[in-house]
Amino acid sequence: MSKKIIVVGGGAAGMLAAYFAAEAGNKVALLEKNEKLGKKIYITGKGRCNLTNACDVEELFLNVKSNSKFLYSAFYGFDNSRVIDFFESHGMPVKVERGNRVFPVSDKSSDVIFALQRALKEKKVEVSLHTEVSKLCYEKITDKKADEEAADKKTELKITGVILKDGTTMAADAVIVATGGLSYPSTGSTGDGYKMAEDAGHTVTECTPSLVPFNVKEEWVKSLQGLSLKNTAISIYSGKKKLYDDFGEMLFTHFGVSGPMILSASASIKQSLIKQPLDMYIDLKPALTHEALDKRILREFEEAKNKQFKNSINKLLPAKMIPVIIELSGIDPDKKVNEISKEERNRLLMLFKKLPVTLNGPRGYNEAIITKGGIKVKEINPSTMESKLVNGLYFAGEVLDLDAYTGGFNLQIAWSTGYLAGTSAAV
């Protein structure tokens, strides 16, 4: 006999949960409070949607920051290769870029949504937009068989449906909550699922924004707004203690720094940064040693020996950065290159290898890619995503206390937990 299953939240986890719940022939209703599905997917990866990472499955676990062991069944049940197969079989070819990041060939996140919508239509999932759930409905288990199951599972409740904001009650045999976290509240992620979980007796851990850009103290950073640096390295210190280092891509903004390297750093050092400012050093030429870079600078100076300093380093730096480096070096921009002293050249060299910026705080939920914290995973069955407290209640995606580094890993969590919740609820 087919079941009636309600999925609350039409994001990545919710759509995949609805698809797999319906695949088994169940009647599935997907309820989304926004005017369209996948609103957050539209803005991920700068509108390109980094939908997973093509690394080995073992590496997926290494890139999960919180509760990676909980994801064993989810990741092995629906791994990154199955994510790729799913989208390609629904008419969306993918490509793999640097760092094994997987994107649609079209570079359009909207194509990810279209593929998911096609999949939902194919399985006859009933999608209701502008439909907000205000609370879950449950009842105490009374029949003997259920009581035996309850004794085993330490639960006394079973789900019966949901109540909508307009007061309508919708009955269901199973409910999957996939309402997201608190990041990008403009997309509808306003913590609704946390309240539903708490009302059902679940614990919600402390939630903070994660994968966030940083504010920077120095005013010169603003003049570099929009400048993206590739193949650079950063190291972040608290006093003399190194907290983090990385190599990759970063971006200057009107308030400070962002980009993949910075967002990944925030997953590790955000708590330290909340307590006090931290020192970050940018290595603009990580492939060159001090000696090799000095020789390179000397070569440029030799070619431009009769030019003014301000016109001599255009082969070494992006144009936008030249005025900033000149000012920080303290070298007169109009000085002839052949008059620059060794001491001045060393100052320039140090700026290339160790450009200092002061990080003075993380940005908030409006710019956070994900939420750190969520529903305590010890209260969820990792083999099914079912609540250990309420029969027939499942959770998937960012609403759970799971978060990972940037690179497609957080969406992989959404797909995998959505799959597991959908297939488990369907049984």
Side-chain angles (χ1 to χ4, degrees):
M1 197 177 87
S2 78
K3 293 166 83 173
K4 174 72 195 284
I5 299 169
I6 291 173
V7 181
V8 186
M15 283 190 275
L16 221 66
Y19 173 86
F20 282 106
E23 193 178 44
N26 296 300
K27 187 170 168 52
V28 178
L30 177 58
L31 312 181
E32 169 54 55
K33 70 178 182 180
N34 282 316
E35 75 286 356
K36 60 185 176 187
L37 295 172
K39 208 166 176 183
K40 192 173 169 186
I41 293 174
Y42 275 105
I43 59 172
T44 61
K46 296 177 187 169
R48 295 172 65 217
C49 189
N50 177 192
L51 62 139
T52 185
N53 194 285
C55 62
D56 294 337
V57 179
E58 290 74 22
E59 216 176 302
L60 290 176
F61 292 98
L62 296 175
N63 280 281
V64 175
K65 185 81 177 131
S66 305
N67 301 311
S68 61
K69 286 178 184 171
F70 175 81
L71 287 162
Y72 190 88
S73 296
F75 277 172
Y76 279 106
F78 197 75
D79 64 12
N80 42 10
S81 63
R82 286 196 66 184
V83 170
I84 291 167
D85 290 346
F86 174 86
F87 282 101
E88 295 203 314
S89 68
H90 286 94
M92 195 203 80
V94 305
K95 59 182 176 179
V96 180
E97 295 190 2
R98 188 172 47 81
N100 285 320
R101 293 176 302 164
V102 179
F103 292 92
V105 166
S106 65
D107 281 330
K108 290 178 182 170
S109 57
S110 53
D111 285 349
V112 176
I113 313 285
F114 295 149
L116 287 161
Q117 286 174 327
R118 281 193 294 273
L120 294 172
K121 197 172 179 184
E122 171 198 312
K123 297 298 174 198
K124 298 183 171 56
V125 171
E126 184 188 313
V127 177
S128 299
L129 303 173
H130 302 286
T131 305
E132 188 169 348
V133 172
S134 62
K135 63 200 292 191
L136 304 175
C137 303
Y138 8 77
E139 65 183 21
K140 284 197 173 176
I141 295 168
T142 51
D143 68 281
K144 196 177 173 193
K145 185 178 176 230
D147 270 338
E148 284 166 16
E149 284 178 15
D152 180 46
K153 294 173 90 173
K154 295 179 184 169
T155 181
E156 299 173 347
L157 300 171
K158 75 169 182 179
I159 202 84
T160 58
V162 300
I163 298 175
L164 305 183
K165 199 175 182 184
D166 66 6
T168 308
T169 299
M170 292 179 71
D173 300 301
V175 173
I176 301 169
V177 174
T179 49
L182 291 162
S183 55
Y184 290 128
S186 60
T187 65
S189 298
T190 48
D192 304 357
Y194 300 144
K195 188 174 185 314
M196 292 176 205
E198 284 178 327
D199 288 348
H202 279 281
T203 310
V204 175
T205 65
E206 185 190 355
C207 294
T208 58
S210 191
L211 300 186
V212 279
F214 296 140
N215 290 315
V216 165
K217 178 183 163 187
E218 287 76 11
E219 283 296 313
W220 56 259
V221 165
K222 291 176 184 172
S223 66
L224 300 179
Q225 180 181 346
L227 176 65
S228 178
L229 297 178
K230 290 177 181 173
N231 303 318
T232 49
I234 58 167
S235 48
I236 300 171
Y237 289 79
S238 174
K240 290 183 179 178
K241 184 184 177 187
K242 187 193 279 189
L243 301 178
Y244 189 85
D245 59 16
D246 199 5
F247 171 86
E249 190 178 334
M250 64 171 286
L251 172 74
F252 289 101
T253 68
H254 64 285
F255 55 77
V257 287
S258 187
M261 230 184 347
I262 302 298
L263 299 176
S264 288
S266 76
S268 294
I269 63 129
K270 187 170 62 65
Q271 291 310 112
S272 301
L273 187 54
I274 288 168
K275 293 174 194 161
Q276 63 181 41
L278 300 174
D279 299 313
M280 182 172 89
Y281 299 96
I282 305 168
D283 185 345
L284 300 169
K285 303 287 178 186
L288 298 176
T289 62
H290 277 67
E291 294 74 19
L293 180 57
D294 194 30
K295 283 179 184 171
R296 173 79 198 277
I297 292 170
L298 280 168
R299 202 161 63 240
E300 294 298 325
F301 279 7
E302 182 58 35
E303 285 178 20
K305 58 186 173 189
N306 294 316
K307 288 185 179 177
Q308 293 171 310
F309 173 52
K310 65 185 177 186
N311 298 322
S312 68
I313 54 173
N314 53 335
K315 287 183 185 174
L316 294 168
L317 289 168
K320 211 169 189 178
M321 208 160 196
I322 291 171
V324 169
I325 294 296
I326 287 173
E327 188 182 340
L328 293 174
S329 74
I331 303 169
D332 180 352
D334 297 322
K335 193 171 193 173
K336 286 272 171 60
V337 168
N338 59 13
E339 293 171 7
I340 291 173
S341 67
K342 186 179 181 182
E343 186 195 336
E344 288 173 321
R345 196 178 75 245
N346 280 338
R347 286 209 303 270
L348 181 65
L349 178 68
M350 285 309 293
L351 289 171
F352 277 84
K353 294 299 287 179
K354 215 174 175 183
L355 178 63
V357 293
T358 311
L359 307 176
N360 58 4
R363 303 290 282 180
Y365 278 118
N366 286 340
E367 292 163 77
I369 291 179
I370 52 153
T371 306
K372 182 177 175 62
I375 298 164
K376 198 172 188 177
V377 295
K378 282 183 179 172
E379 298 167 355
I380 309 295
N381 183 335
S383 302
T384 61
M385 296 294 134
E386 187 177 16
S387 163
K388 290 179 181 177
L389 309 180
V390 182
N391 275 341
L393 173 61
Y394 299 79
F395 294 97
E398 200 184 334
V399 74
L400 292 161
D401 182 11
L402 299 165
D403 63 284
Y405 292 106
T406 183
F409 301 105
N410 286 290
L411 268 176
Q412 180 64 50
I413 291 173
W415 310 130
S416 295
T417 57
Y419 162 83
L420 194 52
T423 52
S424 302
V427 178

